[in-house]
Amino acid sequence: MPAQPSVLTLVPRPTEAVLRPGHFTLDAGTTLHIGEGAGPAAELLRVLLAPATGLPLPASPDGRFALALDPGLGGDLGDEGYVLVIGPDRVLLRAAHRTGLLHGVQSIRQLLPAQALSPTAQRGTPWLLPCAEITDVPRHPWRGAMLDVARHFQPVSYLRRYVDLLALHKISVFHLHLTDDQGWRMPVAAHPELTEVGGHRAESQRGPDGSGAYDGIPHGGSYTRSELAGLVRYAADRGVTVMPEIEMPGHVRAALAACPSLGNHPERTLDVWTRWGVCDTVLGVHDEVLDFCRTVLDEVMDVFPSPYIHVGGEECPTTEWTHSAAARERAAAEGLPGPEALHGWFLGKVGDHLVRHGRRPVGWAETGAELPTDFTVMTWRDPAHTLTAARRGHPVINAHHRATYLDYARSDGPHEPPAQPGAVVGLRAVHAHDPVPEKADDETAGRVLGTQAQLWTEFVTTPAHIEYLTYPRLCALAERGWSGTTDWTDFRTRLDGHTARLDALGVPRHL
């Protein structure tokens, strides 16, 4: 007896979806009709289904399962939308752009019974796709997820699984946080010491900032250029863009441990920071530092084709600049009112370098107005900052911490694993988060690119912990970013069905 299809419980919810009577049988005899340019989507379909189903899905001019690019759909569907029609005798997936086809493949995957996603599924079993007509277009182009691998390193093999789960939920951007005070994970050919020294710390703080408790266990790791380039290709094959983040001019203790001459006290020897919180050591503002940043960013741009490059920019204490004669002289030479203004000046310099190379600089915003005008702003501290930044003319990603920080506990229950002290972000809070501020007019709302989840890893060390914290909350963020629907009851109903898919993929419900 063929396995029965799941009900129409897609997450995120499609723009339009109608369930029809009947089903299409996907079995060993199913062949694909692959239109020009649709090869990557066909290959993804094979890759995703083969481990569980064993179905070869060969190409055939007479294939009843058709994938086609139709540029004429671009006006309605954009780059990410798709149209999927499943009948008893034929399946047709169309999109204007390759990315739309890739998203459609994920919907097909979700329409199969949940057990079809499990590597332990019975291979060779016929699988039934419910007959349906779906037209699907995202509300926001930016539906992101940030993973911090600087605090706790994760191997590239896990990053690929992380990407697979993002793609399942039509997340468009994987924000990879590669450097911070506690570790530098990005290789730079001109400065091998960044990973050799900056990629390792002696131990890690066990409790919150100020606790004084440490684990006594060395921690380290870094990626090779080949690993990162391979990850970029792997993600692109699934419709996900990897955006790197290299922190500057603050959150750079690991870089200063590797390259002391970049600091405001070049004679000082520092260790890679073992504490959490905000470190007060920052980059100097002399020419060597600017040359270093350009060199690093050149290598980053060479590895990551993402149109956006994140340079951090937040939580940068200016005390060292205030007490540095060289920094005060630089501020005076640049006509700045004082050393504190070097923050915006510095970001302007690195931002200009990215812009000249055709990239778009991204920075965290603490007040909504401290970044140069050509920056895309990622607001996190206060909801009002999103409105302020958009009104200034910035493209904005709304990442308000009380709705998108997944390192905050899922609930206040005693069973919850360690998290940022006192912070809780429940599933409903994520689902209630509208990226567009309530007071935004049409022009301002048009500058809001979307939203993004963050997972900082001070207290998160394992893939199981990452996934426990990420799901199902990322499902809610994907829902609001893609469909924009506010119906909590409808979302919960679909999520109940979707949970079986997460179970089949081994995403942990408990730790």
Side-chain angles (χ1 to χ4, degrees):
M1 178 68 181
Q4 295 298 312
S6 59
V7 296
L8 200 56
T9 57
L10 299 181
V11 176
R13 180 181 181 176
T15 308
E16 299 176 11
V18 179
L19 195 62
R20 301 297 188 191
H23 62 265
F24 177 89
T25 302
L26 197 65
D27 57 23
T30 302
T31 57
L32 303 181
H33 180 86
I34 305 171
E36 183 178 355
E43 183 58 26
L44 179 63
L45 184 68
R46 295 187 184 112
V47 167
L48 292 177
L49 297 189
T53 69
L55 300 179
L57 301 177
S60 169
D62 302 320
R64 294 185 298 121
F65 196 125
L67 302 94
L69 281 178
D70 183 351
L73 296 172
D76 296 323
L77 301 182
D79 288 347
E80 295 193 272
Y82 64 92
V83 175
L84 174 62
V85 178
I86 304 171
D89 301 310
R90 181 173 173 80
V91 175
L92 176 59
L93 172 62
R94 295 184 300 147
H97 190 273
R98 167 183 175 273
T99 305
L101 287 181
L102 298 176
H103 290 327
V105 166
Q106 297 293 346
S107 290
I108 291 168
R109 189 183 181 201
Q110 287 197 25
L111 286 169
L112 288 167
Q115 59 265 40
L117 279 66
S118 171
T120 61
Q122 184 176 352
R123 293 167 66 87
T125 300
W127 300 95
L128 304 184
L129 279 170
C131 292
E133 297 177 13
I134 298 172
T135 300
D136 209 3
V137 184
R139 180 189 182 201
H140 296 291
W142 195 292
R143 307 171 308 281
M146 188 282 292
L147 181 62
D148 166 18
V149 295
R151 271 52 174 265
H152 279 101
F153 177 78
Q154 298 296 333
V156 75
S157 57
Y158 177 68
L159 298 187
R160 292 187 176 211
R161 171 173 165 87
Y162 187 84
V163 165
D164 282 330
L165 290 170
L166 298 187
L168 177 67
H169 297 89
K170 301 183 178 69
I171 294 297
S172 58
V173 179
F174 175 20
H175 174 175
L176 187 58
H177 185 82
L178 285 162
T179 71
D180 217 296
D181 293 314
Q182 298 85 4
W184 184 288
R185 314 299 178 199
M186 168 77 193
V188 179
H191 295 280
E193 66 274 16
L194 286 171
T195 51
E196 292 171 358
V197 177
H200 302 269
R201 64 176 181 265
E203 58 184 353
S204 304
Q205 187 173 320
R206 292 179 57 188
D209 190 31
S211 67
Y214 295 87
D215 62 10
I217 302 172
H219 181 82
S222 60
Y223 303 106
T224 67
R225 180 187 174 100
S226 176
E227 285 178 327
L228 291 175
L231 177 67
V232 167
R233 291 191 299 270
Y234 187 88
D237 288 344
R238 286 149 181 78
V240 179
T241 298
V242 182
M243 178 186 67
E245 180 180 3
I246 305 295
E247 283 271 11
M248 58 184 73
H251 285 288
V252 291
R253 177 68 171 259
L256 295 176
C259 307
S261 63
L262 301 176
N264 293 283
H265 301 280
E267 75 289 349
R268 180 176 56 186
T269 300
L270 297 170
D271 58 358
V272 177
W273 221 34
T274 58
R275 291 173 48 192
W276 313 135
V278 179
C279 185
D280 60 0
T281 53
V282 303
L283 290 174
V285 290
H286 43 294
D287 289 344
E288 179 189 353
V289 174
L290 297 177
D291 290 341
F292 166 83
C293 291
R294 296 184 190 107
T295 298
V296 169
L297 291 174
D298 286 346
E299 183 119 6
V300 168
M301 288 187 283
D302 210 28
V303 174
F304 296 92
S306 165
Y308 295 90
I309 304 293
H310 206 304
V311 295
E314 89 290 9
E315 296 178 331
C316 178
T318 59
T319 304
E320 286 196 339
W321 292 339
T322 301
H323 292 106
S324 165
R328 294 195 301 271
E329 289 171 6
R330 172 69 86 174
E334 299 293 337
L336 302 174
E340 294 81 4
L342 288 167
H343 178 257
W345 171 84
F346 189 103
L347 292 174
K349 290 291 185 182
V350 297
D352 286 346
H353 183 71
L354 292 172
V355 170
R356 285 199 303 272
H357 286 78
R359 306 299 182 95
R360 304 172 194 173
V362 184
W364 299 105
E366 296 181 31
T367 67
E370 75 276 18
L371 292 177
T373 55
D374 54 5
F375 267 64
T376 295
V377 174
M378 192 167 280
T379 56
W380 63 279
R381 191 184 290 276
D382 189 309
H385 296 165
T386 299
L387 189 62
T388 300
R391 283 175 171 169
R392 289 186 75 223
H394 292 283
V396 185
I397 299 113
N398 188 332
H400 178 44
H401 69 114
R402 286 295 180 181
T404 71
Y405 273 36
L406 304 186
D407 50 308
Y408 292 3
R410 302 198 323 184
S411 75
D412 56 6
H415 62 283
E416 286 295 308
Q420 292 290 351
V424 174
V425 171
L427 179 66
R428 190 154 193 169
V430 180
H431 186 265
H433 175 59
D434 189 341
V436 178
E438 185 178 351
K439 297 180 180 179
D441 57 26
D442 290 345
E443 183 179 2
T444 303
R447 297 192 186 104
V448 179
L449 301 180
T451 187
Q452 177 175 290
Q454 281 61 239
L455 185 54
W456 305 103
T457 60
E458 289 95 331
F459 307 101
V460 185
T461 62
T462 66
H465 196 172
I466 289 170
E467 291 180 8
Y468 172 81
L469 290 173
T470 302
Y471 299 96
R473 289 185 292 179
L474 190 67
C475 304
L477 183 133
E479 175 91 356
R480 291 306 303 267
W482 180 278
S483 68
T485 56
T486 60
D487 190 330
W488 168 251
T489 301
D490 173 64
F491 169 69
R492 280 309 313 255
T493 299
R494 283 179 290 110
L495 184 62
D496 287 343
H498 186 65
T499 299
R501 301 182 189 116
L502 298 178
D503 290 344
L505 289 166
V507 176
R509 291 200 201 188
H510 309 284
L511 282 183

